[in-house]
Amino acid sequence: MEFRHLRCFLVLAEELHFGRAASRLGLTQPPLSLNIQQLEASVGAQLFDRNSRGVALTAAGQAFWPQARALVEQAAQAAREARDVAEGVSGSLQVGFAGTVLYRGLPQMLQAFAGAHPRLRLVLREMSSSDQLIDLLHDRLDLGFVHTTRVPPGFGQILVSSQPFVACLPAAHPLARKRRLSLKALSGEPFAMVARAVSPDYHDRILGLCAGAGYAPELRYELRHWLSVVSVVSHGLCVGLVPAALQAAGVPGAVFVPLDTATPPYETHCLWRTTRSERAQQTPALGAFLQVVRAASQPA
């Protein structure tokens, strides 16, 4: 049974006239008759009664008609979806992100992308930067928003944002009302920070900043998310150095104070593999999303 047989059957079932059906199909009557005979042989039942009065569906033909129509419609839909994916107007993307990007442009990018490409679906996965790099390397993510200063070879990248570190203090802390703080002022305080396994670059950077100010911080809490750091600080348990964007999180009980000296910035990069496996080559959908990222990036 072939789809051309089904199309011939459906048109003949609508017209119940070989001449009109053949004309609609762009055939002559003999090829149409041959297609119907081949279909009946494949089905194992007579689908049409043919006599001097005309053509009529048999009971078997009436039973076969809705299923044949559904098969042809499904095939047409499958072809449309395949074309849409190839053209970048349909499909899905696996997008990884580290939590602070929610306060540094990601929602605006998602809104812009949804408006321009309503049939493209984004599957969002909140992950640490290190986990994103692993999944990108294994083609389990199409792109990721990561915080790292070390990008492996074979990746394209867009600098999405660059922001300073600020001191995060409990609201009742004696230093919370200062307009600016020195790093040395935090000497002797218990610290919370993101664990090295989650973000080795910035874990080491904070330790380096403190070492430059003449002390080694007491690491009281090592956590998986920057927002968790802010939450622990807000309960009066410690202090921290966090990206400035977290001020937008609105966590009650946490106060953010700028530092009085410049520090190396906290950078967010959008990464994607430029040397992907054959089964995961860059798609038009990925290209469309990267255009939105470039337009919305705020590197300064």
Side-chain angles (χ1 to χ4, degrees), residues 54-202:
V55 180
L57 281 168
T58 63
Q62 290 174 352
F64 185 70
W65 182 77
Q67 302 299 327
R69 183 178 63 179
L71 284 171
V72 171
E73 289 175 349
Q74 288 171 9
Q77 177 63 24
R80 285 193 296 270
E81 290 182 1
R83 286 194 299 271
D84 288 347
V85 169
E87 294 168 3
V89 298
S90 180
S92 64
L93 289 174
Q94 300 283 331
V95 179
F97 70 98
T100 54
V101 189
L102 292 172
Y103 308 105
R104 203 67 177 180
L106 181 59
Q108 292 77 13
M109 294 176 197
L110 298 178
Q111 186 176 38
F113 186 74
H117 304 280
R119 294 177 60 194
L120 284 169
R121 186 170 65 97
L122 299 179
V123 180
L124 299 177
R125 296 168 57 193
E126 184 176 3
M127 307 169 66
S128 70
S129 295
S130 54
D131 286 344
Q132 286 186 67
L133 288 171
I134 293 170
D135 277 15
L136 284 164
L137 284 167
H138 290 88
D139 294 329
R140 293 191 289 263
L141 287 177
D142 292 296
L143 74 160
F145 292 89
V146 304
H147 307 302
T148 182
T149 58
R150 293 173 287 189
V151 178
F155 280 87
Q157 60 178 298
I158 300 169
L159 178 59
V160 174
S161 71
S162 179
Q163 56 187 299
F165 281 96
V166 296
C168 182
L169 306 169
H173 195 284
L175 300 175
R177 295 188 179 183
K178 294 283 187 180
R179 295 186 63 181
R180 289 187 175 275
L181 279 179
S182 68
L183 281 166
K184 191 167 183 61
L186 301 178
S187 175
E189 298 279 356
F191 265 71
M193 68 175 66
V194 170
R196 193 177 194 284
V198 174
S199 184
D201 293 351
Y202 289 107

